[in-house]
Amino acid sequence: MATVSLNDVRKQYGQTKVIHGVNCEIADGEFIVILGPSGCGKSTLLRMIAGLEMISGGTISIGGQVMNEVEPTHRDIAMVFQNYALYPHMNIFENMAYGLKIQQIPKAEIESRVKQAAEILELSHLLKRKPRQLSGGQRQRVAMGRCIVRQPKVFLFDEPLSNLDAKLRGQMRIELKNLHKTFGITSIYVTHDQVEAMTLGDRMIVMDGGYASQIGSPIEVYRKPATKFVAGFIGAPPMNFLDVQLDSEGSHALLPGKEALSLETPLADYAGKAVTLGIRPEHIHVHEESDEAQHLNVDYVETLGADTLIHGHFGEDQTKLTIRLQDIHFLETGQRIPISIPSNRIHLFDPQTELRIGD
Ligand SMILES: Nc1ncnc2c1ncn2[C@@H]1O[C@H](COP(=O)(O)OP(=O)(O)O)[C@@H](O)[C@H]1O
Ligand SMILES: [Mg+2]
C-alpha cells in the first residue's frame, strides 16, 4: 500500500495542452475517483500515473518516491481497463496466475494467492473454465483477480464497468467497494458516471477540460460544488440555473417571478449585479396555493415510479425549471403548481468566472 502524490502534473501532445497542472495528495488506502465527461483528460492522467504516458510537467510520486522516469513494471501498480483482455486459450486459473508465473513466483505461492483471490471473488468453482464460458460480470471479476493476486501498492481502474449492463454495474460497484474494504489498497478509479463516483469514492477529483475543478468527498461536492460546471455535472436531473439580479444591498436575489429571495449571507461585492443561481430539482418545494406563491407552468412530466420529474417554466421570461418529487404525481401539461425556492438550498456562481460565490 502507498500514498500517491500528484504535484502540478501536466501533459501536452505537441502544442496541445490536455492536463493543466493537477495537484492531489492521495492517502494510503484511499479510494479516489477521477470523474468528468469524455475527453476531459481522465485516462491521460491515469496513464501518466501508470507510466504509460510521459509526463510533460510536474511530478508523480508513489509511496514517497518520484516515478516520472520509472518504467510501468517497476511502479508496483496494477491496472484494470474497460476492455479487460483475458487470454482465451487459458483457463481462469491460468489467466489469474500468468502474471505471477512471469515474475517467477514459486508454484505453491501462486496456487495459494490465486485460490484466495478466487474465493473472495466467488470464482473458485470456475477456475477450470475458459473465459468464453463465463458471463461478462464473471470475466470482469477475473480481470480484477488477476490484479489482486499481484498484491500491488496501487490499483488503477479506467472505466472498468462501462461495458456491463446497468444491473451488473450496480452489483459490481458493491463488490468493488467490498474488495477495497478487504484489501485496503490505494485505488484510483476513472469514470464518467457520477453514480459510480458518488458511491465508490472516499473523494473525487472532478475534471473539466484538463483542470481539476474540485477535489472533495462526494457529499462535499454535492453540497458545495466549487464551480457551475461541477454543480451541473453532479446530480440527476442536473441542477437548474437561473440568471438573477441581486438587489442594491446584495442581500436578496430577484427571481424571474419578481419574488425577492433573502440570502442567508449578504454578498456586498455583488450588490446590484447579475449572478447565476443554482437550485437542484429535488430541493424545490411544491406547496399549498397561496397569494405569495410562484407558479410553475407544467410542460411535461416524467413518471419514474419512485419519483416524478416535472419540467416547466415560470416567471415573465418563462425560465425553464425541473422539479423532482417523491412518489407518483398526476399532472397535466398547462397545469400551474405553486412552488418556492428555499434560500438555504441555493448555490450562487459568478456569471463570468463560473466560480462559487459566498458560502
Ligand atoms: N496521443 C494523443 N495525441 C493527441 N491528443 C490526445 C492523445 N491522447 C489523448 N489526446 C487528447 O487528450 C484529451 C484527453 O483525452 P483522454 O484522457 O483520453 O480523455 P478521457 O479519458 O477523459 O475521455 C482529448 O482531447 C484527447 O483528444
Ligand atoms: Mg478515457
Side-chain angles (χ1 to χ4, degrees):
M1 293 207 288
T3 57
V4 177
S5 307
L6 309 181
N7 202 323
D8 196 29
V9 173
R10 290 165 188 275
K11 178 70 185 178
Q12 60 190 80
Y13 294 105
Q15 292 303 308
T16 316
K17 294 182 176 170
V18 296
I19 303 284
H20 305 276
V22 171
N23 291 288
C24 188
E25 293 295 324
I26 301 165
D28 190 10
E30 187 172 4
F31 198 121
I32 196 152
V33 175
I34 303 175
L35 174 70
S38 180
C40 70
K42 305 181 296 294
S43 295
T44 304
L45 189 56
L46 197 74
R47 291 168 59 80
M48 286 195 285
I49 299 169
L52 301 170
E53 291 283 353
M54 289 296 292
I55 300 163
S56 311
T59 53
I60 292 176
S61 311
I62 299 177
Q65 247 188 312
V66 174
M67 288 288 151
N68 290 30
E69 307 294 331
V70 177
E71 289 293 317
T73 46
H74 296 134
R75 293 191 184 196
D76 218 347
I77 47 140
M79 191 153 169
V80 184
F81 298 92
Q82 178 182 354
N83 300 313
Y84 39 89
L86 301 178
Y87 300 108
H89 56 284
M90 292 183 190
N91 70 26
I92 300 312
F93 180 93
E94 290 160 342
N95 263 284
M96 284 169 68
Y98 186 69
L100 303 180
K101 247 187 185 163
I102 290 185
Q103 288 179 41
Q104 298 183 326
I105 289 176
K107 217 172 159 184
E109 171 78 17
I110 295 180
E111 280 245 357
S112 115
R113 283 203 212 172
V114 172
K115 286 205 168 133
Q116 194 209 358
E119 191 134 317
I120 290 162
L121 292 163
E122 292 177 28
L123 292 168
S124 303
H125 59 299
L126 303 171
L127 289 174
K128 293 211 169 72
R129 290 211 198 160
K130 295 280 169 64
R132 71 183 137 77
Q133 296 168 306
L134 302 189
S135 70
Q138 289 168 334
R139 272 183 241 164
Q140 183 58 280
R141 285 213 290 274
V142 176
M144 293 200 197
R146 205 167 47 173
C147 292
I148 289 169
V149 295
R150 287 177 45 205
Q151 303 176 345
K153 281 194 188 139
V154 181
F155 270 136
L156 304 178
F157 299 92
D158 195 350
E159 313 229 9
L161 307 185
S162 49
N163 279 348
L164 306 177
D165 64 51
K167 187 166 171 223
L168 200 50
R169 273 209 305 274
Q171 284 171 12
M172 292 298 292
R173 276 207 308 271
I174 295 168
E175 285 184 22
L176 266 170
K177 195 78 188 163
N178 284 335
L179 278 178
H180 183 251
K181 266 197 205 132
T182 308
F183 291 94
I185 295 176
T186 312
S187 299
I188 308 177
Y189 186 102
V190 160
T191 184
H192 66 274
D193 181 326
Q194 53 161 316
V195 177
E196 282 177 20
M198 292 296 288
T199 53
L200 286 170
D202 296 319
R203 285 191 300 161
M204 61 171 97
I205 304 176
V206 189
M207 302 272 303
D208 175 16
Y211 291 92
S213 290
Q214 185 167 10
I215 302 177
S217 74
I219 291 174
E220 279 164 8
V221 172
Y222 175 81
R223 287 207 179 136
K224 279 196 179 185
T227 68
K228 186 183 172 196
F229 171 83
V230 175
F233 196 74
I234 300 277
M239 187 183 283
N240 296 288
F241 293 111
L242 316 177
D243 297 324
V244 302
Q245 193 88 19
L246 296 195
D247 67 357
S248 58
E249 272 148 32
S251 60
H252 290 79
L254 307 173
L255 297 183
K258 293 290 173 237
E259 186 199 358
L261 186 69
S262 165
L263 302 183
E264 294 210 304
T265 8
L267 295 167
D269 288 355
Y270 287 84
K273 293 195 180 147
V275 298
T276 304
L277 183 149
I279 178 82
R280 296 195 184 280
E282 57 271 37
H283 291 154
I284 296 172
H285 291 165
V286 171
H287 47 74
E288 297 298 310
E289 192 66 58
S290 77
D291 287 347
E292 296 95 66
Q294 300 253 56
H295 283 93
L296 184 78
N297 295 283
V298 177
D299 292 326
Y300 65 100
V301 177
E302 291 177 287
T303 311
L304 304 179
D307 298 317
T308 303
L309 305 183
I310 306 162
H311 305 275
H313 61 272
F314 80 117
E316 270 166 23
D317 50 1
Q318 312 219 326
T319 305
K320 284 200 181 320
L321 202 68
T322 297
I323 303 180
R324 175 170 172 176
L325 296 181
Q326 279 187 357
D327 291 333
I328 295 171
H329 298 263
F330 295 100
L331 293 159
E332 305 281 339
T333 301
Q335 202 171 329
R336 281 159 53 82
I337 52 175
I339 57 162
S340 65
I341 294 177
S343 59
N344 62 345
R345 293 291 204 176
I346 61 168
H347 307 260
L348 297 173
F349 302 95
D350 183 298
Q352 266 77 50
T353 63
E354 303 200 339
L355 297 176
R356 184 182 190 85
I357 308 171
D359 198 24

